[in-house]
Amino acid sequence: MSILVLAEHHDGALAGATAHVVAAAKAIGGDIDVLVAGEGVAAIAEAAAKLDGVNRVRVADNAAYAHQLAEPMSALINELAGDYSHVLAAASTTGKNVLPRVAALRDVAQISEIIAVESPDTFKRPIYAGNAIATVQSDDALKVITVRTTGFDACPDRGSEGGSAGVEAVDFVADNSQSTFIKEELAQSDRPELGAAKVVISGGRGMGNGDNFKLLEGIADKLGAAVGASRAAVDAGFVPNDMQVGQTGKIVAPELYIAVGISGAIQHLAGMKDSKVIVAINKDEEAPIFQVADYGLVADLFEALPELEQKL
Amino acid sequence: MKVLVAVKRVIDYNVKIRVKPDHSDVDLTNVKMAMNPFCEIAVEEAVRLKEKGVASEVVAVTVGPKAAQEQLRTALALGADRAIHVESDERVESLGAAKALAKLVEEEQPGLVILGKQAIDTDNNQTGQMLAALTGLPQGTFASEVVISGDGADGKLQVTREIDGGLQTVELSLPAIVTTDLRLNEPRYAKLPDIMKAKKKPLDVKSPADLGVEVATRTKLLRVEPPAERQGGIKVGSVDELVDKLKNEAKVIS
């Protein structure tokens, strides 16, 4: 078996998600190649070559792959897929955008957001907003899979003594007349990335307005935490949508998740209930969030948050 | 231009699901069903395009069991002009649905196809992308804004997409496939007179065989089980106690 892993990268750096996908590939077993596609990606390819277990890094460095648009990216992966039994990508917005297109080009099913590998053709994945876990088996010759990164521990770097995988250029250039990148507006944040943070503190509708999220930021800075939000807080315009945790936002599984002013709708729980320790701060003692919280504090958040910041 | 909008019948998003005792699947008997929330957003966007004079006709389509005609009637009540039902009692996966939809795109020649980004039952997030691949059309997934300029061969579509770090805008040639994210719009409710009128709108029924496609599943569902239960937690009485528990019991902060 041989496995192709699509590298996730942003702003000229290899994203942490890639190491989790390589870990899933190791669980399947076989030779692991990583595909780094983009423009000016030599440094990213070097970083990918350092990941433990990677056999070879294939680099498609061309303007055609800048911004990783689905049309040229799927053509590229389709071109390479004949060499592999599995194609894997993170279940990020990039992986979710590109991989189903690849699967249909190859006339195979895709298995989305796996959280465990049972065997090379059998996988576990959550369905119904994480309220059931399905075990599915694919008979397709090529398995196209997206990986929920919180389901797999990141594979380590080889370290300075460990050497690195060979890096090899891919010449194929996809022709794309159908889609053009116009612009990106990325949210600015100095805090850890939501998907990778060890501690996450999230606010919901109970925060009242966007300014009050500053109450979470003080605590986040003391704990080295990322700040998240429920859909209610995003829809109310308190914070931008890339902070949303839940079925339709980001899936997180930190060591500690602190839910503040969040009732705990099933769509929100789908995004955080695999956290190791969950803390809920809510003034409504009947809120469903208390049913999943390890530690619940029934209190007015406007009194509890300043006190918590002071005592940390 | 004609707009094709795909809808799916799924369990109502407020229902707490149960896994069957034999672990073969989720129990759907006597459970409230509804249109998938992302599909409601797709229908709303198509109807708004018609109200703006951009779309000339809105055709709602679904692939699924006979009961899914209820959801097509809902789409008609919301403003779709006619509906096509590809009837299949088998478990249909994304690839099979995309194949059936691709045939309908070939027959109907729409200028735009709108789908939801994912169905809340399988949580796959695949069908729109697969349809784009099978039809050879460009895709604008996870759309939070859609702006159309021109029609026919020189028509363009600017789609703002919700991506992990924020927003991305791409321009696509038409025809194109768009999948909706939650913030694209706020779907309207069907009014009673419109629900009555929808009963008279045309609804075509086809079989996958009529379309010459195979919708049967390619993967086997071996087992469905409930997720691991979390251990019941405790309520603490004060912030001091909370900090103490996190430091000394859970050891997640220092």
Side-chain angles (χ1 to χ4, degrees):
Chain A
M1 276 179 307
S2 51
I3 302 170
L4 183 67
V5 169
L6 175 64
E8 177 95 11
H9 59 88
H10 308 285
D11 298 330
L14 185 71
T18 312
H20 295 266
V21 183
V22 170
K26 280 171 137 177
I28 293 168
D31 288 341
I32 301 168
D33 287 2
V34 174
L35 172 63
V36 179
E39 190 178 18
V41 290
I44 298 165
E46 267 174 48
K50 288 273 179 200
L51 290 175
D52 188 53
V54 174
N55 177 51
R56 176 170 65 152
V57 176
R58 304 182 79 173
V59 188
D61 198 332
N62 193 286
Y65 308 121
H67 310 293
Q68 308 199 353
L69 299 184
E71 296 78 11
M73 287 293 290
S74 56
L76 168 67
I77 299 170
N78 183 36
E79 178 72 18
L80 303 178
D83 300 344
Y84 298 95
S85 57
H86 297 71
V87 174
L88 270 59
S92 61
T93 49
T94 308
K96 289 175 178 176
N97 190 34
V98 173
L99 247 58
R101 198 171 168 110
V102 173
L105 291 174
R106 307 296 301 183
D107 192 29
V108 299
Q110 177 185 281
I111 301 175
S112 295
E113 303 221 19
I114 64 163
I115 54 169
V117 174
E118 298 287 290
S119 77
D121 66 2
T122 306
F123 309 91
K124 286 195 176 198
R125 58 177 304 264
I127 55 176
Y128 293 89
N131 289 299
I133 307 297
T135 305
V136 294
Q137 185 177 31
S138 160
D139 295 333
D140 285 320
L142 176 72
K143 274 81 169 161
V144 176
I145 296 166
T146 61
V147 176
R148 182 171 288 188
T149 50
T150 56
F152 297 86
D153 292 333
C155 78
D157 263 23
R158 286 183 229 244
S160 51
E161 304 295 308
S164 60
V167 175
E168 202 173 278
V170 174
D171 295 331
F172 178 80
V173 178
D175 169 51
N176 179 29
S177 57
Q178 293 183 310
S179 63
T180 316
F181 172 84
I182 304 290
K183 63 175 177 181
E184 240 163 39
E185 296 156 68
L186 300 180
Q188 298 302 321
S189 173
D190 299 331
R191 296 203 179 78
E193 190 201 336
L194 196 50
K198 290 221 173 350
V199 181
V200 173
I201 182 163
S202 288
R205 200 195 297 277
M207 297 303 294
N209 62 46
D211 278 347
N212 289 336
F213 269 72
K214 291 200 183 80
L215 295 169
L216 301 182
E217 287 166 9
I219 296 169
D221 289 339
K222 287 204 164 168
L223 294 174
V227 179
S230 69
R231 184 178 170 208
V234 173
D235 279 351
F238 300 172
V239 291
N241 60 41
D242 54 292
M243 285 171 65
Q244 183 182 323
V245 172
Q247 186 183 16
T248 58
K250 297 209 172 86
I251 312 286
V252 300
E255 299 274 299
L256 172 61
Y257 188 90
I258 308 175
V260 183
I262 292 175
S263 65
I266 52 177
Q267 292 80 5
H268 185 74
L269 301 183
M272 46 65 83
K273 68 187 163 88
D274 292 329
S275 305
K276 190 169 159 232
V277 174
I278 296 173
V279 169
I281 301 175
N282 204 303
K283 66 181 175 190
D284 174 11
E285 62 179 316
E286 302 295 320
I289 191 77
F290 286 119
Q291 291 164 19
V292 300
D294 299 281
Y295 303 106
L297 177 63
V298 180
D300 184 339
L301 65 92
F302 296 104
E303 286 163 23
L305 289 177
E307 191 184 342
L308 179 60
E309 181 178 350
Q310 186 210 329
K311 290 189 169 148
L312 285 172
Chain B
M1 71 169 73
K2 189 191 288 185
V3 175
L4 209 64
V5 54
V7 301
K8 185 177 184 186
R9 175 184 176 85
V10 298
I11 197 163
D12 184 273
Y13 72 99
N14 281 312
V15 171
K16 181 112 180 79
I17 61 132
R18 289 183 319 271
V19 171
K20 285 183 183 172
D22 68 356
H23 296 288
S24 60
D25 206 342
V26 166
D27 192 351
L28 295 181
T29 43
N30 300 321
V31 167
K32 188 182 173 205
M33 303 294 278
M35 189 189 293
N36 180 45
F38 291 98
C39 304
E40 290 182 353
I41 295 168
V43 172
E44 176 66 29
E45 195 65 18
V47 172
R48 287 187 192 188
L49 288 172
K50 193 175 175 202
E51 288 167 347
K52 280 189 223 159
V54 177
S56 52
E57 186 184 28
V58 175
V59 184
V61 301
T62 195
V63 185
K66 188 164 182 59
Q69 288 187 13
E70 276 174 43
Q71 280 61 49
L72 287 177
R73 290 291 172 200
T74 304
L76 293 169
L78 291 167
D81 297 293
R82 62 187 170 90
I84 304 171
H85 179 206
V86 181
E87 191 174 329
S88 169
D89 288 325
E90 290 180 85
R91 190 168 67 92
V92 177
E93 282 176 340
S94 304
L95 184 64
K99 283 182 177 178
L101 294 173
K103 283 288 177 189
L104 294 179
V105 168
E106 194 183 305
E107 284 180 9
E108 297 282 338
Q109 296 286 317
L112 182 67
V113 185
I114 314 179
L115 305 87
K117 81 165 177 181
Q118 76 188 59
I120 60 163
D121 52 359
T122 56
D123 282 335
N124 270 335
N125 196 331
Q126 300 172 0
T127 307
Q129 296 88 315
M130 288 180 158
L131 175 62
L134 296 174
T135 52
L137 296 176
Q139 67 190 50
T141 52
F142 327 143
S144 60
E145 197 185 349
V146 171
V147 180
I148 293 173
S149 54
D151 198 349
D154 52 338
K156 297 271 184 214
L157 174 69
Q158 280 210 355
V159 183
T160 302
R161 307 179 52 235
E162 296 199 6
I163 60 168
D164 284 332
L167 298 172
Q168 179 191 67
T169 305
V170 293
E171 186 172 81
L172 309 177
S173 59
L174 289 173
I177 312 291
V178 165
T179 74
T180 63
D181 216 320
L182 278 170
R183 264 161 296 272
L184 182 59
N185 60 48
E186 189 87 30
R188 69 192 71 186
Y189 293 98
K191 298 192 190 77
L192 188 60
D194 293 333
I195 295 171
M196 300 312 286
K197 273 185 233 161
K199 291 181 179 168
K200 298 204 172 72
K201 288 185 179 177
L203 192 160
D204 255 8
V205 181
K206 294 172 188 278
S207 72
D210 293 339
L211 297 171
V213 293
E214 185 67 57
V215 296
T217 57
R218 305 282 281 273
T219 60
K220 288 194 200 93
L221 185 61
L222 299 183
R223 189 179 164 82
V224 175
E225 56 207 325
E229 289 276 335
R230 289 191 74 92
Q231 293 295 319
I234 57 160
K235 289 221 172 98
V236 294
S238 66
V239 170
D240 277 325
E241 194 187 342
L242 176 63
V243 172
D244 174 65
K245 294 279 187 194
L246 292 178
K247 276 187 181 158
N248 301 316
E249 194 175 275
K251 301 189 197 310
V252 283
I253 60 174
S254 50

